[in-house]
Amino acid sequence: MAGRIIRGLGAAALAMAAGACASGSAPSNSGFLTTYEGLTPRTDVVRASVQQRRDEALASTITRLWVAPTEVFGVTDPILSDDDRRAVLSEVDRQVCYELSERFEIAEQPEPQAGTVRVGVTYIRPTHQAGSAAAAVANFFIPGPIKVRAPGGTGGLGAEAELLTPDGRQAAAIVWRRDAMLVGTDKPSLSRIGDAHQLAEPLGDMVGDALAPDDREVRPIPSPDPCERFGPRVRVEGILAGFATGLYEPGLSGGRPPADQEADPVD
């Protein structure tokens, strides 16, 4: 029985693999950025759709910055609960802060001589919970880290981010969008925000790479950690839960919302 399941899933995986690289629609300009001039598509990224630009001279002048709280911009359908949207925003804050802290000094609040990073979540596609449950059962019979997801059951995340100089000029910008892959390492989830939440990590990676100048070396994690308010950089309990169940659990894998986000509803 298990052999037939594995063979059947293997055939399905091969069939889906052909479309697995095209995991997201091309991002459109939402109006969040101060300017979209000079954005060019990246052709070396296979899992996401990316447009970006960077003025190396301007970006090189910024060594310290304030990361503004992530906003939801233009996400009206589907409507998520305030808790769900807040959890996605908090995880984007967490991952972006981690990546930028390895390239810039992070200010706790706006400063006259510091740059500013603005991030807007412009696309959230919910994860299909029933499809994820079925995928988790199927993946039990497939050894290794590669997961097979149900077509039509994957969620996604899209965002725009920019680095502004102290006087408000755009030094760098990125427009990014990605859906979870049908065949890959994206874990299914019983949470409607499971995919959007776990895709915050590759988003943070791309934002850090896009906004930092080419010659900016990655530095060790500062002490004290300027991103500590978002929670630990590694959640061991989430990793263990993923191994045990094959599912991604946002509550065990993310950080914690800042106190002001916990109290204030998301518009």
Side-chain angles (χ1 to χ4, degrees):
M1 178 65 177
R4 289 197 299 271
I5 293 176
I6 292 174
R7 287 192 295 273
L9 288 172
L14 290 174
M16 291 186 289
C21 291
S23 63
S25 302
S28 59
N29 301 340
S30 73
F32 176 78
L33 300 180
T34 56
T35 179
Y36 292 84
E37 185 177 354
L39 285 172
T40 58
R42 284 189 56 172
T43 58
D44 60 335
V45 179
V46 296
R47 294 184 178 183
S49 297
V50 184
Q51 300 175 41
Q52 67 182 65
R53 68 167 289 270
R54 182 171 60 239
D55 184 317
E56 289 291 338
L58 280 181
S60 295
T61 65
I62 302 173
T63 58
R64 184 172 176 83
L65 54 79
W66 176 64
V67 183
T70 300
E71 306 173 38
V72 170
F73 191 87
V75 179
T76 57
D77 184 26
I79 298 174
L80 299 174
S81 70
D82 285 345
D83 286 344
D84 282 347
R85 295 171 73 184
R86 190 178 298 114
V88 172
L89 293 181
S90 179
E91 186 64 5
V92 172
D93 281 334
R94 176 176 177 248
Q95 297 295 341
V96 169
C97 185
Y98 290 163
E99 292 302 320
L100 292 176
S101 69
E102 296 179 356
R103 299 165 172 86
F104 299 88
E105 296 177 12
I106 304 297
E108 294 185 0
Q109 57 188 3
E111 297 178 0
Q113 302 304 316
T116 299
V117 169
R118 300 175 62 244
V119 183
V121 169
T122 57
Y123 166 73
I124 300 176
R125 178 180 176 181
T127 302
H128 191 277
Q129 295 156 299
S132 285
V137 173
N139 285 323
F140 177 80
F141 297 97
I142 304 176
I146 300 301
K147 306 299 178 185
V148 176
R149 303 287 298 275
T154 56
L157 180 68
E160 299 179 4
E162 64 183 355
L163 171 64
L164 303 176
T165 63
D167 61 358
R169 289 176 293 169
Q170 188 188 81
I174 181 171
V175 177
W176 180 95
R177 178 166 168 168
R178 181 182 159 191
D179 289 328
M181 301 184 72
L182 295 179
V183 180
T185 57
D186 302 321
K187 289 185 174 66
S189 177
L190 298 182
S191 168
R192 295 184 73 229
I193 60 168
D195 286 318
H197 196 274
Q198 65 182 306
L199 289 175
E201 182 176 0
L203 168 63
D205 292 340
M206 293 294 295
V207 169
D209 290 341
L211 303 189
D214 278 336
D215 61 356
R216 186 69 52 85
E217 295 184 1
V218 175
R219 62 181 189 172
I221 298 172
S223 182
D225 190 340
C227 306
E228 185 177 6
R229 66 186 183 276
F230 297 115
R233 293 187 179 237
V234 177
R235 291 287 301 275
V236 176
E237 57 269 47
I239 296 173
L240 294 177
F243 278 128
T245 66
L247 295 167
Y248 179 87
E249 172 50 57
L252 297 177
S253 303
R256 55 178 178 269
D260 58 339
Q261 288 190 14
E262 290 178 345
D264 297 334
V266 178
D267 294 333

